[in-house]
Amino acid sequence: MPEAASQLYRKKELLLRLSWKRAFSVLLALTLLLSLAACQSSGNSENPYSGRKLPVLMYHHVVEDGQECNDMTVTVSRLREDLQWLRDSGYTTVLPRELAAGEPLPEKPVLITFDDGYRSNYNLAFPIFQEFEAKMVISVMVYMQDNAASDFITWAMCREMIDSGLIEIGSHTYLLHNLDERGGSFDPEGVNGIQRKPDETGEAFQTRVLDDIQRSYDLIAEKLEVSPTFFAYPFGLTEPDADGLIRELFPVTAVTLPKTADLTGGLYALPRHTVTMNKSLDSILNPPLKTVVKAGIKEFLGLS
């Protein structure tokens, strides 16, 4: 065989081996993911949702078309497009209270959440949800309703939305969303949300954090005449010392983590996909296989 032909043959043989190696790697990764799913599915026979997946979407603020957006805002048109895409893709919206009651899930459930309770949730988002007969839960920073803050929904608005049967009101704490000199912003160098301060005494933590969470629950129950079932952790940050009270008060809780919730593990600390103008809902809920495999391997190895 001439030298040039021999080199070409060796290159083709090497490429073929690499292709088989890549295919084997993908097959191995998928096998690991299936094994993990099987172990999880058999872990809790008393859980009515064992083995079920639930995408949870997180929105905040809605603005009119043409206005500038950041990672906390979407336009009216984008929100309508998202609800249309969910409908066309066969998704059915559910509420936390339905999950807490153990009601049967539709074939493709999705939980839509709005954090903070901006006035736009009532003025702009609510009419669109009525148009699509879609459901959502709004987690309010109760201090804003308690003090009639102009940029946030009022108790009367909450009651009107609840009466529609489409909206549920959850807690985002009373005053713990850094509603102090930080103006609600995340402090990368400090203690955020419900996190316990270093060397904070039990009594101080009770007064600052646990009493705040209880106050948010009590006020929602009093003003709306229905006990909240949903708690959204400020900044998605949990705190072990608050777990007992939160689990006692709220059957369903959510954090901020870009993955689809596996209900086999229960209804606490459900991960949520943040929805922004930068990525379509299709790309969020239907990521490429390569992305899924990588995320699954990281989770299997405890690296996520």
Side-chain angles (χ1 to χ4, degrees):
M1 180 183 297
E3 181 62 24
S6 177
Q7 289 181 358
L8 180 61
Y9 177 80
R10 286 196 294 272
K11 288 181 179 178
K12 288 183 176 180
E13 186 178 30
L14 178 59
L15 287 173
L16 184 61
R17 288 177 181 176
L18 288 174
S19 298
W20 276 107
K21 183 177 180 181
R22 182 173 300 170
F24 178 76
S25 298
V26 172
L27 180 61
L28 178 61
L30 289 174
T31 302
L32 289 173
L33 289 177
L34 291 173
S35 299
L36 177 61
C39 291
Q40 291 176 333
S41 298
S42 61
N44 187 358
S45 58
E46 296 182 358
N47 181 352
Y49 302 136
S50 184
R52 297 299 303 272
K53 303 289 187 180
L54 176 68
V56 185
L57 305 177
M58 181 176 65
Y59 296 82
H60 288 80
H61 186 32
V62 184
V63 298
E64 295 283 4
D65 292 345
Q67 292 189 26
E68 186 175 350
C69 290
N70 56 32
D71 287 345
M72 296 292 133
T73 56
V74 296
T75 63
V76 167
S77 291
R78 170 59 194 268
L79 181 60
R80 182 174 278 107
E81 289 171 4
D82 286 354
L83 292 182
Q84 185 66 58
W85 184 88
L86 288 171
R87 173 185 285 180
D88 294 343
S89 301
Y91 284 96
T92 302
T93 53
V94 298
L95 289 173
R97 66 167 180 258
E98 296 168 343
L99 297 172
E103 295 183 16
L105 287 178
E107 182 178 353
K108 294 180 68 174
V110 61
L111 174 60
I112 299 178
T113 71
F114 275 73
D115 280 6
D116 302 336
Y118 290 103
R119 185 69 61 94
S120 67
N121 296 174
Y122 173 81
N123 291 336
L124 299 178
F126 181 43
I128 299 175
F129 275 77
Q130 289 178 302
E131 175 187 337
F132 282 87
E133 297 183 340
K135 302 173 182 178
M136 67 169 166
V137 56
I138 303 174
S139 299
V140 297
M141 302 179 292
V142 182
Y143 173 87
M144 298 303 185
Q145 286 69 47
D146 210 20
N147 291 273
S150 61
D151 291 336
F152 294 82
I153 53 177
T154 65
W155 289 123
M157 293 173 183
C158 290
R159 286 190 288 270
E160 180 185 343
M161 290 190 287
I162 288 175
D163 288 344
S164 73
L166 300 174
I167 312 300
E168 184 174 339
I169 301 298
S171 169
H172 209 28
T173 73
Y174 182 83
L175 193 60
L176 288 177
H177 201 292
N178 293 6
L179 299 180
D180 45 31
E181 69 279 356
R182 294 169 291 187
S185 300
F186 181 81
D187 180 3
E189 303 298 328
V191 172
N192 296 279
I194 69 169
Q195 288 183 312
R196 188 166 189 162
K197 295 179 180 179
D199 302 323
E200 187 171 31
T201 66
E203 182 178 359
F205 182 75
Q206 174 73 45
T207 301
R208 186 179 67 86
V209 174
L210 300 184
D211 289 352
D212 179 289
I213 295 171
Q214 183 71 57
R215 186 179 186 184
S216 75
Y217 177 93
D218 291 342
L219 278 170
I220 292 172
E222 174 192 342
K223 299 294 185 179
L224 304 181
E225 299 182 345
V226 58
S227 298
T229 62
F230 184 75
F231 181 82
Y233 287 91
F235 309 105
L237 299 173
T238 60
E239 169 54 56
D241 291 337
D243 281 350
L245 177 64
I246 292 173
R247 285 175 173 261
E248 177 185 333
L249 296 178
F250 305 99
V252 188
T253 68
V255 296
T256 306
L257 187 64
K259 57 185 288 188
T260 293
D262 183 347
L263 299 186
T264 300
L267 301 175
Y268 291 102
L270 300 178
R272 295 189 288 176
H273 299 279
T274 301
V275 181
T276 71
M277 295 291 290
N278 299 325
K279 292 182 66 175
S280 69
L281 213 54
D282 183 34
S283 66
I284 292 173
L285 296 184
N286 296 311
L289 177 61
K290 181 179 180 181
T291 301
V292 174
V293 170
K294 284 185 175 180
I297 293 174
K298 288 178 65 177
E299 181 177 358
F300 183 77
L301 296 176
L303 300 176
S304 60

